[in-house]
Amino acid sequence: MRWCVSVGAVLVAGAIVGGDVASIAAPSPKSGIADARDSALSVNVELVIAVDVSYSMDMDELAIQREGYAQAIVSKDFLQALTARPASKVALTYFEWSMSGDERIIIPWRVIDGPESADAVAAEIMKMPIRRGSSTSISGAINFAVRLFEENPYRGSRRVIDISGDGPNNDGDPVTGARDAAVEKGIIINGLPIMVKEPSFATTDIENLDLYYEDCVIGGPGAFIMTIKDREKFQEAIRTKLVLEVAGLTPKGRIVPTAGNEPRVSCLVGEDKWRERARLAGRSGS
């Protein structure tokens, strides 16, 4: 089953207990296959944050999104989520993506286990220049995230991809193939569809991006989306989503019965709109 929650629908206060925190642990560049199984590299969750920086995102949205993740990581709720389980640690990496092959790692794998390590990661996120790229390849982002899991030295009880975006896949492989391959490896994909602007017919925007993410992007046990329809709720949504993922909590919300059903939005809608744009552009130039 997959879950859909809106901002403000999830209350995690009181669900997470406090506890002691330890100092930062960082991967050794000399770590080998044998070291990867060492208990010292065990974490509660391996979390890949995949952030859309395609041109459909304006500079203000990109800045708010970047700041939202940085503030979420140092928030009291996030730090309390780290202590939801004994000796809880989170291995986290953060990359930005647009078209297939245009993925840039902003934060290589880091362990967050308390305020100091959280502060260091947040500062590193904020110091990187904001950029934009062309096209939207959700499939490319998922495939890149899967490779990051395979290369990192950590071993968590859960592996989660947290993927944000404001449009459907329109470049690279079909998104469902990438999703299914990731889920087969035991990876959970959660979504953060951004719907703060009215869809434009001049782009590949779609009206029902939330349904698209539910039916075509997310997958795995307990996978969920958190839709952002209000620019002012950006940071709140990111914080709540990360807390749920880190603590391993199940969001309270509407169950989306997608298993065995036809997608409510074509999973190739982005590719279809992209081809139509190219056809119209070719006609106007002839």
Side-chain angles (χ1 to χ4, degrees), residues 65-86:
Q65 181 174 236
R66 179 79 73 82
E67 184 179 358
Y69 278 106
Q71 290 192 355
I73 288 169
V74 298
S75 69
K76 181 177 69 174
D77 291 340
F78 182 86
L79 293 174
Q80 286 180 329
L82 289 176
T83 63
R85 298 182 182 183

Side-chain angles (χ1 to χ4, degrees), residues 122-193:
E124 197 169 346
I125 290 174
M126 290 303 296
K127 77 178 182 181
M128 297 297 293
I130 294 174
R131 73 181 187 96
R132 301 167 80 189
S134 62
S135 304
T136 301
S137 183
I138 301 174
S139 60
I142 293 174
N143 291 335
F144 186 78
V146 169
R147 293 195 295 273
L148 291 178
F149 283 123
E150 294 171 346
E151 296 167 0
N152 89 76
Y154 304 103
R155 291 296 178 270
S157 58
R158 291 176 292 119
R159 294 187 294 173
V160 179
I161 300 174
D162 178 324
I163 189 163
S164 68
D166 71 341
N169 192 78
N170 60 38
D171 178 71
D173 297 330
V175 67
T176 52
R179 175 201 63 193
D180 294 344
V183 170
E184 285 181 5
K185 295 178 181 291
I187 296 169
I188 299 168
I189 304 172
N190 295 328
L192 190 73

Side-chain angles (χ1 to χ4, degrees), residues 47-50 91-95 105-110 148-149:
L47 177 62
V48 174
I49 298 175
L92 177 149
T93 183
Y94 179 112
F95 75 91
I105 296 175
I106 304 300
I107 304 294
W109 284 104
R110 299 280 190 272
L148 291 178
F149 283 123

